[in-house]
Amino acid sequence: MAEHESLEFGKADFVLLDNVSLEEFLANLKLRFEKGRIYSYIGEVVVSVNPYRAMNIYGRDTIEQYKGRELYERPPHLFAIADAAYKAMKRRNKDTCIVISGESGAGKTEASKYIMQYIAAITNPSQRAEVERVKNMLLKSNCVLEAFGNAKTNRNDNSSRFGKYMDINFDFKGDPIGGHINNYLLEKVGRVVHAREEQRMQGDESLLRSLHIQKDPTAYSYIKVGVTKTSVAMFFLSSLIYEEHCVLLQGNLKFGNDGDVTLIENSKLVAVLGELLSTKEENVEKALLYRTVATGRDVIDKQHTDQEASYGRDALAKAIYERLFCWIVGRINDIIEVKNYDARIHGKNTVIGVLDIYGFEIFQNNSFEQFCINYCNEKLQQLFIQLVLKQEQEEYQREGIPWKHIDYFNNQIIVDLVELQHKGIFSVLDEACMNVGKVTDEMFLQALNSKLAKHAHYTSRKLSPTDKSLEFDRDFRIRHYAGDVVYSVLGFIDKNKDTLFQDFKRLLYNSSNPVLKAMWPEGKLSITEVTKRPLTAATLFKNSMISLVENLASKEPYYVRCIKPNDVKSPLLFEYERCKHQVEYLGLLENVRVRRAGFANRQTYPRFLQRYKMISEFTWPNHDLPSDREAVKRLLQGCGFEHDVAYGKTKVFIRTPRTIFSLEEQRAEMVQRIVLFLQKVWRGTIARMRYRRMRAALIILRAYRRYKVKSYIREVNRRFKSVRSMKDHGKHVKWPTPPKVLRRFEEALRNIYNRWWAWTLIKGLSPEEMLQVRAKVATLECLKGQRADLGLQRAWEGNYLKRDSPETASSFTLVSSELQRKDKFMRVLFSCNVRKINRFNKAENRAVLITDRHLYKMDPLKQYKPMKSIPLYNVTGVSVSPGKDQLVVFHTKDNRDLIVCLQGMVPAGESRIGELVGTLLSHFKSEKRKLQVNIVSPIQCSMNGRKCTVVVETRINQSQPEFTKSRSGYILAVPGN
């Protein structure tokens, strides 16, 4: 079972299908294609479906996932089969080969590229320069071969019109050291579609002129009728360009008659051909119009008919193209083949072969090329079945498992039908080509009907008169393993001969172009020396196929079967009938049956245990049995599957897919439980680790905090140890910086110290001094930050009338004594000269005396006669401005506010607002009453119930504070010094 592939993507291995039928096979193939899984397995065979889109599954990351892995450790992929072949070559010192087959457009050539790319990527990097050189040669040789040997066909934009077998040679370390390429049956005619102009005729103008080529492709007969493929852009390879375009120009040669004489109608082309072929114009003309014939010792020139001349022209064009391609393959082999390699010194030279060859083809019109191609596929299918059975049998014998005979369709009968000596179709065709006189394709068909009339896999219209799908004297049908194919004999004789008049060979051998000369070595023979008839195309192809099969049979094979899902190159469309036909002729169902005939699955004991050991208590997590074999046996007995398995020497063999699925289901269930258990254990471990780290961190943190706290307290103690004996009681001492954890503690400690420091200062004060201190504290709390000068630095006397007006001090003293006797007040809180404004908007000089019982307004000009007395309990608040002025508004309950400005201070400019406010606040606080203090500008007040506003204005020319009337109330003008 391939890992990481759930059943939602279908069965990754067709061997594991519940029922082996064509319908189930195609349903599974369709599901995987639609899910984007283009690769599947049949045992160790890869089935590849052309996705017709770019897929991100061939990058370096993917290569690393498959490198060194077993086949079933990862989902099906070309890289898995490439790695298996590479490991077999490197570990077991075996030559291996990868056979890629499928019809045109199924993706064979791309598959071969990816396989070579993978092999190149996983080789040893220690000798990187040499490895890279060989890799690049192997990979880039593809481009050249495709340029000459591929074509756009009705089914494929880049169809390989030749078979290619590439050997990659490795040294004993597994590094590529070279390679060799064999090509088979390059198509020279037929089935090449008309390419678009931009594909066909491209190139530099000067180059086209030197080649006598026009950009218009319709000017050339071969392109119009699709005889050959030409693209200037593809053939910029030195002198090869001239030969390639000689082929193109030959198609435009036209022949006509003048009586009994055959002429070239467009004779100007002969000079161009002579130039391109580096030979004389008259020699080219003679070779096209005459054939030299030897009769005994005499040599005569026999003139061609126009039909024979046309045949000779086409034969020459095809021969040049073929030899050009073979020359290119030879040049590539000269560069990439292993040189100076001595097995005694360097170790054994091992090989991985990659075969990319045309697939089975069934068209509307099937000719000689299709017949050869389908014969090739018959040979490869025969080899495939034989090698698969051989591998199965060898593995059973290695493991000591009894081998049972497996019935399968043996297509040897079809191979014999084609290649058997004297009776096969190739022999009949060669015999017809060797007959003297005029031999036609119809005569060849008659010979086939005569010799193969009783063959079960051959028929024609003459043998089956009622079969109207066959034409008389034209068609015959072969029943291939992949299905019935009808072939038209038209052209069989000419294509099989495919011979070139000796005159052309001598013409090209005598060319002054050394490359061209080297391609025609047989041209050095004179006409009288040519005695041996050249081998036919069929014989050459048969011999090459026999050689190829022998080569493949000597290696350990791996297979890639390519399938084309539709004919419109859609990445979404899966055409059922199209795919059904390919599955049938690729013999995939046959392969599944062969694989399942014995045991559907086999795995080594360690690998089996590694995957399924969690199912049994005897094997989880590790077993203590004598061997892995015994452990596997105990596991399967516990599951009740012992009747469905066999035990080999190194592997366990499982007969039915159902057992595998049952094991997988049990494994999936146990894996889920194991994962949950591991998650639980791991989460517990993580939690304990986190707890230990947190606990350790907490212990360290606590110890560090204790250290910092102790250090801080020791430092505070050291600095403040002697504050009692200091003059300022430690006020100058700088506090140490506390740790963060003690910041609030430091604030509390500072408050304690400040309270102690304050208590130390005031504990020796008299009651009068204490009252002054309390008043200053009240002022600070109320006005700090609100007014600039609060008068805190001087002593507060309170009763200033005696000091400010010494000449009238005696009068004030008498009046205040009388008021004390009368109103029974205990002490004077504050007194001062003021400027006041009354309700009649009249400003006058007055004096204010504030006791602990009343606020008195006095007239200093009348010996401080009391003008008005306001009980203090009637005073609700005091308003002052935020400036430096001495404005004070006393608010009363009866809305008869008193507006005054302190004046006559000695010394001048002394601010007493702070003292007044602090004294009143302290007194009110001692009597547990609240006094509202407002610091605002302008000040809102009430004069006998009338609301008004007092605004302070600074004036430069003002010498004394003065009240004036305004629209909204009053203005206090103060000096602007």
Side-chain angles (χ1 to χ4, degrees):
M1 295 291 290
E3 289 190 9
H4 313 298
E5 287 262 306
S6 66
L7 289 178
E8 67 172 303
F9 302 114
K11 307 273 176 45
D13 192 335
F14 287 101
V15 172
L16 301 179
L17 290 173
D18 292 330
N19 298 307
V20 182
S21 65
L22 187 59
E23 291 73 20
E24 278 214 21
F25 189 101
L26 286 166
N28 189 59
L29 189 69
K30 181 174 185 287
L31 174 62
R32 291 184 63 76
F33 174 74
E34 291 172 345
K35 294 287 187 178
R37 298 303 193 269
I38 63 171
Y39 298 120
S40 307
Y41 288 139
I42 301 176
E44 295 181 350
V45 175
V46 172
V47 179
S48 170
V49 182
N50 194 336
Y52 287 120
R53 60 188 171 96
M55 300 191 72
N56 187 25
I57 57 172
Y58 304 104
R60 188 72 210 183
D61 291 344
T62 309
I63 290 173
E64 289 300 324
Q65 290 175 17
Y66 285 87
K67 184 178 178 181
R69 297 295 191 131
E70 295 300 325
L71 200 65
Y72 288 100
E73 285 190 78
R74 287 286 181 263
H77 201 288
L78 282 175
F79 290 169
I81 209 79
D83 193 78
Y86 182 76
K87 281 187 301 193
M89 178 275 299
K90 188 173 180 180
R91 294 178 183 175
R92 304 201 297 272
N93 210 22
K94 282 191 173 184
D95 289 347
T96 61
C97 65
I98 301 173
V99 180
I100 307 170
S101 59
E103 72 167 47
S104 176
K108 302 185 298 300
T109 301
E110 288 300 308
S112 69
K113 288 182 187 177
Y114 287 129
I115 287 171
M116 285 193 289
Q117 172 192 325
Y118 179 83
I119 293 172
I122 64 172
T123 47
N124 185 9
S126 61
Q127 297 178 341
R128 180 56 60 193
E130 177 63 17
V131 171
E132 286 299 323
R133 186 187 73 84
V134 176
K135 287 177 188 176
N136 290 334
M137 287 191 301
L138 292 175
L139 292 174
K140 291 180 180 178
S141 65
N142 263 333
C143 305
V144 180
L145 294 177
E146 287 181 11
F148 281 85
N150 287 21
K152 180 180 173 72
T153 68
N154 288 318
R155 295 189 171 190
N156 187 3
D157 286 341
N158 191 35
S159 177
S160 298
R161 307 319 310 150
F162 68 102
K164 178 182 65 179
Y165 175 78
M166 176 180 285
D167 269 336
I168 308 172
N169 297 85
F170 296 84
D171 61 15
F172 72 98
K173 301 188 301 297
D175 293 333
I177 55 174
H180 186 84
I181 297 171
N182 290 328
N183 61 294
Y184 302 95
L185 189 67
L186 171 71
E187 282 193 30
K188 302 178 289 296
V189 295
R191 294 200 297 105
V192 178
V193 301
H194 308 308
R196 299 188 297 271
E197 292 183 21
E198 64 271 16
Q199 288 181 317
R200 297 257 179 202
M201 307 303 292
Q202 300 175 5
D204 182 77
E205 289 287 347
S206 61
L207 176 63
L208 293 177
R209 281 195 300 272
S210 69
L211 297 173
H212 305 279
I213 295 295
Q214 302 176 35
K215 279 200 170 184
D216 181 11
T218 61
Y220 301 97
S221 300
Y222 280 170
I223 293 180
K224 287 195 291 187
V225 299
V227 173
T228 187
K229 173 182 70 70
T230 303
S231 171
V232 178
M234 291 182 179
F235 302 118
F236 288 169
L237 296 177
S238 186
S239 59
L240 305 184
I241 299 175
Y242 292 90
E243 297 176 46
E244 178 64 30
H245 290 89
C246 175
V247 172
L248 186 63
L249 291 170
Q250 283 180 59
N252 283 6
L253 288 172
K254 305 296 181 186
F255 300 97
N257 295 317
D258 184 4
D260 295 333
V261 180
T262 303
L263 301 173
I264 300 175
E265 294 179 354
N266 44 353
S267 58
K268 290 183 179 180
L269 277 179
V270 178
V272 176
L273 291 174
E275 178 186 341
L276 292 175
L277 294 175
S278 302
T279 188
K280 295 179 181 179
E281 176 183 349
E282 57 269 23
N283 292 344
V284 175
E285 183 175 3
K286 182 180 179 182
L288 288 168
L289 296 178
Y290 295 91
R291 178 184 179 189
T292 304
V293 180
T295 59
R297 292 183 179 182
D298 298 326
V299 176
I300 61 172
D301 292 331
K302 179 185 176 184
Q303 187 174 35
H304 291 312
T305 65
D306 59 343
Q307 185 176 359
E308 289 173 338
S310 298
Y311 171 80
R313 174 201 62 197
D314 292 344
L316 176 62
K318 291 185 286 181
I320 291 176
Y321 193 80
E322 178 188 28
R323 302 237 177 166
L324 174 61
F325 185 77
C326 292
W327 184 88
I328 294 170
V329 172
R331 290 293 294 157
I332 292 173
N333 283 333
D334 288 343
I335 297 172
I336 68 175
E337 69 182 3
V338 181
K339 299 177 181 67
N340 303 321
Y341 194 92
D342 189 341
R344 293 172 298 178
I345 301 173
H346 303 105
K348 185 178 183 296
N349 179 340
T350 48
V351 167
I352 294 179
V354 179
L355 177 65
D356 170 15
I357 203 160
Y358 16 65
F360 198 90
E361 294 187 342
I362 304 176
F363 295 151
Q364 286 294 109
N365 180 28
N366 300 291
S367 188
F368 180 72
E369 291 82 13
Q370 285 71 51
F371 183 76
C372 291
I373 287 171
N374 293 342
Y375 158 68
C376 167
N377 279 269
E378 290 284 359
K379 292 285 288 183
L380 292 176
Q381 177 67 11
Q382 179 196 30
L383 176 69
F384 172 67
I385 295 296
Q386 286 177 350
L387 290 180
V388 167
L389 288 175
K390 181 182 176 184
Q391 284 178 331
E392 289 281 293
Q393 187 171 2
E394 286 178 352
E395 184 171 32
Y396 279 47
Q397 290 172 352
R398 267 197 319 270
E399 295 293 328
I401 303 295
W403 172 257
K404 295 181 181 178
H405 176 73
I406 299 173
D407 291 325
Y408 66 96
F409 173 70
N410 189 343
N411 61 339
Q412 182 64 47
I413 187 172
I414 303 173
V415 173
D416 290 343
L417 170 65
V418 177
E419 70 177 21
L420 198 65
Q421 288 288 340
H422 308 300
K423 294 182 180 179
I425 294 175
F426 277 163
S427 294
V428 174
L429 181 59
D430 285 352
E431 187 179 334
C433 291
M434 284 186 274
N435 287 338
V436 180
K438 180 68 174 176
V439 180
T440 64
D441 295 319
E442 291 78 8
M443 294 169 65
F444 162 60
L445 181 59
Q446 290 170 10
L448 287 179
N449 291 336
S450 174
K451 289 198 175 186
L452 302 174
K454 296 182 180 180
H455 201 288
H457 290 265
Y458 173 87
T459 188
S460 67
R461 185 65 182 270
K462 182 178 180 180
L463 301 177
S464 302
T466 59
D467 189 347
K468 295 183 180 180
S469 63
L470 301 172
E471 289 287 335
F472 279 110
D473 297 328
R474 192 192 76 180
D475 296 341
F476 68 92
R477 180 189 294 120
I478 299 291
R479 187 183 303 166
H480 289 281
Y481 80 94
D484 293 353
V485 182
V486 176
Y487 298 99
S488 170
V489 296
L490 299 181
F492 263 61
I493 297 294
D494 288 342
K495 292 173 183 178
N496 186 46
K497 285 181 179 178
D498 207 13
T499 54
L500 192 65
F501 298 137
Q502 188 69 16
D503 303 77
F504 288 122
K505 296 177 183 178
R506 283 195 296 274
L507 172 73
L508 295 172
Y509 177 76
N510 292 314
S511 169
S512 60
N513 185 324
V515 174
L516 191 59
K517 181 182 179 73
M519 291 182 189
W520 306 89
E522 66 270 40
K524 66 182 178 181
L525 299 174
S526 68
I527 187 61
T528 57
E529 294 177 305
V530 180
T531 58
K532 188 176 181 180
R533 184 187 295 270
L535 296 177
T536 62
T539 300
L540 289 171
F541 187 69
K542 180 182 74 171
N543 293 342
S544 66
M545 283 299 101
I546 293 172
S547 174
L548 173 64
V549 168
E550 288 175 353
N551 186 11
L552 295 177
S554 68
K555 296 177 170 61
E556 183 171 321
Y558 294 86
Y559 296 92
V560 178
R561 302 303 213 187
C562 299
I563 291 178
K564 182 178 182 179
N566 57 75
D567 285 325
V568 294
K569 303 179 181 65
S570 168
L572 304 174
L573 181 61
F574 186 92
E575 293 181 353
Y576 187 87
E577 290 300 324
R578 191 85 183 74
C579 296
K580 176 183 175 184
H581 174 67
Q582 294 173 80
V583 168
E584 288 174 339
Y585 79 63
L586 284 172
L588 299 184
L589 215 58
E590 197 87 21
N591 189 5
V592 175
R593 292 194 178 102
V594 167
R595 184 75 180 181
R596 281 175 54 123
F599 294 90
N601 186 273
R602 69 284 316 261
Q603 297 184 43
T604 60
Y605 293 122
R607 182 71 60 186
F608 185 88
L609 278 177
Q610 183 180 353
R611 185 160 185 84
Y612 299 113
K613 64 181 180 179
M614 69 286 298
I615 294 175
S616 172
E617 60 181 330
F618 299 105
T619 56
W620 177 259
N622 295 299
H623 69 85
D624 55 0
L625 295 167
S627 65
D628 287 347
R629 186 178 188 274
E630 292 298 320
V632 171
K633 194 171 183 179
R634 179 69 66 88
L635 187 154
L636 290 169
Q637 286 174 348
C639 295
F641 298 139
E642 66 273 10
H643 62 282
D644 200 39
V645 298
Y647 303 98
K649 294 176 182 178
T650 64
K651 292 182 180 180
V652 58
F653 289 73
I654 301 173
R655 191 178 306 280
T656 61
R658 180 48 52 195
T659 298
I660 291 292
F661 289 131
S662 180
L663 287 170
E664 284 294 319
E665 288 172 358
Q666 293 181 53
R667 178 184 181 274
E669 181 182 350
M670 289 305 299
V671 165
Q672 187 175 6
R673 293 167 63 181
I674 290 170
V675 168
L676 289 174
F677 174 75
L678 291 176
Q679 285 179 338
K680 180 186 75 171
V681 172
W682 179 240
R683 285 171 180 166
T685 302
I686 292 294
R688 284 189 289 274
M689 290 169 60
R690 188 181 295 118
Y691 165 74
R692 282 195 291 269
R693 285 197 300 267
M694 290 174 64
R695 187 169 179 273
L698 185 60
I699 291 172
I700 294 170
L701 186 62
R702 284 175 175 172
Y704 181 72
R705 281 181 176 175
R706 283 196 298 270
Y707 162 75
K708 295 292 286 184
V709 168
K710 288 179 180 178
S711 298
Y712 174 76
I713 291 174
R714 287 195 194 101
E715 184 62 19
V716 170
N717 182 57
R718 185 185 68 78
R719 295 188 184 188
F720 288 90
K721 183 167 60 174
S722 305
V723 291
R724 293 179 184 275
S725 58
M726 296 178 186
K727 289 183 178 181
D728 62 352
H729 302 292
K731 198 65 178 176
H732 70 284
V733 176
K734 184 178 179 181
W735 287 78
T737 303
K740 288 184 179 181
V741 69
L742 291 182
R743 284 181 181 175
R744 294 184 64 184
F745 170 76
E746 187 220 22
E747 292 177 4
L749 196 61
R750 281 178 180 257
N751 289 334
I752 292 171
Y753 167 76
N754 289 334
R755 291 174 69 85
W756 172 84
W757 180 81
W759 175 81
T760 302
L761 289 179
I762 66 175
K763 68 178 181 179
L765 298 179
S766 62
E768 290 77 11
E769 290 173 329
M770 278 298 299
L771 289 174
Q772 188 176 146
V773 168
R774 286 195 172 95
K776 286 184 176 181
V777 170
T779 298
L780 195 63
E781 290 176 350
C782 180
L783 301 181
K784 184 178 180 181
Q786 305 283 343
R787 285 182 63 94
D789 185 10
L790 301 181
L792 298 176
Q793 305 304 320
R794 62 179 178 82
W796 287 359
E797 297 182 16
N799 193 352
Y800 288 100
L801 283 177
K802 293 180 180 181
R803 193 183 77 178
D804 294 343
S805 305
E807 66 279 3
T808 58
S810 58
S811 300
F812 173 71
T813 302
L814 289 174
V815 171
S816 87
S817 298
E818 179 63 26
L819 290 173
Q820 185 178 19
R821 182 186 62 77
K822 175 184 175 186
D823 294 333
K824 304 293 190 292
F825 64 82
M826 299 297 295
R827 65 188 180 91
V828 175
L829 301 180
F830 185 83
S831 68
C832 185
N833 292 311
V834 300
R835 184 75 174 172
K836 77 108 184 173
I837 187 79
N838 60 22
R839 66 179 182 277
F840 303 112
N841 305 323
K842 184 179 178 182
E844 295 175 316
N845 290 326
R846 292 287 186 265
V848 172
L849 172 64
I850 304 174
T851 68
D852 55 1
R853 303 284 298 274
H854 293 81
L855 186 156
Y856 300 99
K857 181 176 70 175
M858 300 178 174
D859 187 353
L861 298 178
K862 296 181 179 181
Q863 299 179 346
Y864 294 100
K865 176 182 177 182
M867 305 290 294
K868 185 177 182 181
S869 172
I870 304 173
L872 277 188
Y873 59 77
N874 246 7
V875 176
T876 58
V878 174
S879 292
V880 296
S881 75
K884 293 183 178 181
D885 57 87
Q886 301 298 300
L887 174 65
V888 182
V889 176
F890 296 94
H891 301 286
T892 62
K893 292 181 180 178
D894 56 3
N895 293 326
R896 295 182 178 183
D897 297 345
L898 177 62
I899 304 172
V900 299
C901 178
L902 306 185
Q903 65 177 6
M905 279 78 77
V906 178
E910 184 179 78
S911 177
R912 295 175 181 170
I913 291 295
E915 181 178 354
L916 172 60
V917 171
T919 301
L920 287 174
L921 283 171
S922 177
H923 175 71
F924 271 67
K925 185 176 180 181
S926 67
E927 293 191 349
K928 298 181 180 180
R929 287 193 288 138
K930 184 177 180 181
L931 179 69
Q932 180 69 37
V933 177
N934 304 312
I935 304 96
V936 294
S937 178
I939 297 173
Q940 303 292 331
C941 58
S942 179
M943 296 287 286
N944 288 327
R946 180 173 61 86
K947 300 291 183 183
C948 62
T949 301
V950 182
V951 180
V952 178
E953 289 184 0
T954 301
R955 294 177 183 174
I956 297 175
N957 298 324
Q958 189 76 26
S959 60
Q960 294 294 331
E962 186 61 71
F963 287 103
T964 58
K965 180 73 175 71
S966 70
R967 295 183 60 183
S968 59
Y970 307 99
I971 296 174
L972 173 63
V974 297
N977 56 347

